[in-house]
């Protein structure tokens, strides 16, 4: 049953062009300032449905095309030596979409994991799913556990896939965990500080987000990483996710290179 449903999603992933991890001196990276890279990049992969509709196709065709793009962006992130890449795959609000689209997306994530597992492992990727994983279908939860277990000792890019993720839901779950510790007398309310909150979030162990990219032309957070983007640089790409190429990704990185981040302070020459 599952395999039958999966057929379509997985097949569309196969037969993609092979894109190797770009080397440091690759023409793709020309002009990148290697001393001023973001440590953590987060991406709202938006615009799949509109992209598909614009070519007279059903929305799900856009999701399949988007999965191929993700693979290339992950390889580019590895080439850039990023510490963390966090991508928004399915939000807590996306359950309100038609059941057929939701099912397709669950199957697509499952198929992607199954198909890419070994290659990601060979690329030293450490995959981790953030969000309320317990709310996902059992077959997907099982594949997630397998993938995380396989890659848990890898030392390369931390690849966080936000699935059934909502920033508010993440905070609720973190606050509940902390409240239990207080109730059990393990900590006091005064112990609730920034570090404890960060350690209680799904992104524990990752640096704060430096660069947040949203494709598809909209300019909103849609409940993504509300705590973690406190000082992120925001980059909006007009292109929909299925057209977001490694070149587009590097363009965003180069723009980040030139951003003036002040963190509420003043530049040296203004002091
Ligand atoms: C993003 O593309 C993927 C998910 C939200 C799962 P959309 O499906 O939101 O595509 P648009 O924004 O409707 O074009
Ligand atoms: C955000 O995109 C969620 C993902 C990319 C997974 P949406 O398409 O769900 O966001 P809205 O509805 O435009 O805010
Ligand atoms: Mg959208």
């Amino acid at each position: 049953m599952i395999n039958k449903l999966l057929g379509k999603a997985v097949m569309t992933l196969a037969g993609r062009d092979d894109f190797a991890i770009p080397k440091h001196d690759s023409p793709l990276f020309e002009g990148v300032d290697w001393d001023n890279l973001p440590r953590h990049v987060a991406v709202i992969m938006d615009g799949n449905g509109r992209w598909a509709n614009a070519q007279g196709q059903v929305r799900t065709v856009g999701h399949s095309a988007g999965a191929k793009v993700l693979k290339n962006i992950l390889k580019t992130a590895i080439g850039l030596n990023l510490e963390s890449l966090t991508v928004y795959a399915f939000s807590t609000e996306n359950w309100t979409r038609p059941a057929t689209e939701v099912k397709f997306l669950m199957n697509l994530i499952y198929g992607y994991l199954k198909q890419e597992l070994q290659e990601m492992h060979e690329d030293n990727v450490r995959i981790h799913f953030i969000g309320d994983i317990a709310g996902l279908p059992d077959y997907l939860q099982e594949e997630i556990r397998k993938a995380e277990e396989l890659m848990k000792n890898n030392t390369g890019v931390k690849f966080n896939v936000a699935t059934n993720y909502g920033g508010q839901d993440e905070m609720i779950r973190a606050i509940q965990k902390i409240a239990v510790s207080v109730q059990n007398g393990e900590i006091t309310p005064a112990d609730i500080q920034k570090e404890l909150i960060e350690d209680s979030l799904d992104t524990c162990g990752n640096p704060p987000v430096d660069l947040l990219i949203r494709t598809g032309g909209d300019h909103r957070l849609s409940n993504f990483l509300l705590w973690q983007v406190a000082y992120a640089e925001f980059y909006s790409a007009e292109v929909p996710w299925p057209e977001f190429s490694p070149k587009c990704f590097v363009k965003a990185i180069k723009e980040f290179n030139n951003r003036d981040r002040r963190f509420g302070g003043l530049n040296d020459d203004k002091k």
Side-chain angles (χ1 to χ4, degrees), residues 45-50 59 97 214 218 220:
M45 308 182 290
D46 195 29
N48 295 351
R50 279 167 285 168
R59 294 176 52 80
R97 293 188 181 197
R214 181 169 186 140
D218 284 318
R220 55 177 169 265

Side-chain angles (χ1 to χ4, degrees), residues 153-246:
N153 294 322
N154 289 350
T155 54
V157 67
K158 293 181 186 119
F159 179 41
N160 306 304
V161 185
T163 311
N164 193 19
Y165 176 90
Q168 292 176 340
D169 177 68
E170 179 190 35
M171 282 188 200
I172 292 167
R173 288 184 286 106
I175 292 165
Q176 286 175 346
K177 255 188 279 179
I178 293 170
V180 169
S181 301
V182 174
Q183 192 176 37
N184 292 342
E186 291 153 15
I187 57 169
T188 68
D191 292 322
I192 305 172
Q193 301 294 334
K194 190 170 174 230
E195 199 172 81
L196 178 68
I197 293 176
E198 283 174 350
D199 287 349
S200 307
L201 293 171
D202 297 345
T203 48
C204 167
N206 290 271
V209 175
D210 296 305
L211 172 63
L212 173 67
I213 298 171
R214 181 169 186 140
T215 64
D218 284 318
H219 302 85
R220 55 177 169 265
L221 281 177
S222 302
N223 203 9
F224 194 39
L225 301 172
L226 300 180
W227 173 283
Q228 297 87 340
V229 298
Y231 261 102
E233 292 296 322
F234 189 68
Y235 181 91
S236 174
E238 285 303 316
V239 292
W241 178 249
E243 284 178 15
F244 193 73
S245 61

Side-chain angles (χ1 to χ4, degrees), residues 130-165:
I130 62 170
D132 186 6
I133 303 310
L136 294 172
D138 287 343
Y139 71 89
L140 180 54
Q141 287 190 47
E142 201 180 302
E143 202 58 35
I144 288 173
R145 266 194 297 273
K146 239 195 303 184
E148 289 184 340
E149 179 63 26
L150 177 72
M151 293 181 238
K152 70 175 183 208
N153 294 322
N154 289 350
T155 54
V157 67
K158 293 181 186 119
F159 179 41
N160 306 304
V161 185
T163 311
N164 193 19
Y165 176 90

Side-chain angles (χ1 to χ4, degrees), residues 73-110:
I73 297 304
L74 174 61
K75 298 254 183 199
T76 309
I78 297 169
L80 285 164
N81 279 327
L82 296 188
E83 187 172 330
S84 300
L85 175 72
T86 302
V87 298
Y88 209 0
F90 191 88
S91 77
T92 46
E93 287 70 35
N94 287 149
W95 295 107
T96 59
R97 293 188 181 197
T100 46
E101 183 170 343
V102 169
K103 203 180 259 180
F104 186 92
L105 285 165
M106 293 299 139
N107 291 339
L108 185 64
I109 298 167
Y110 174 86

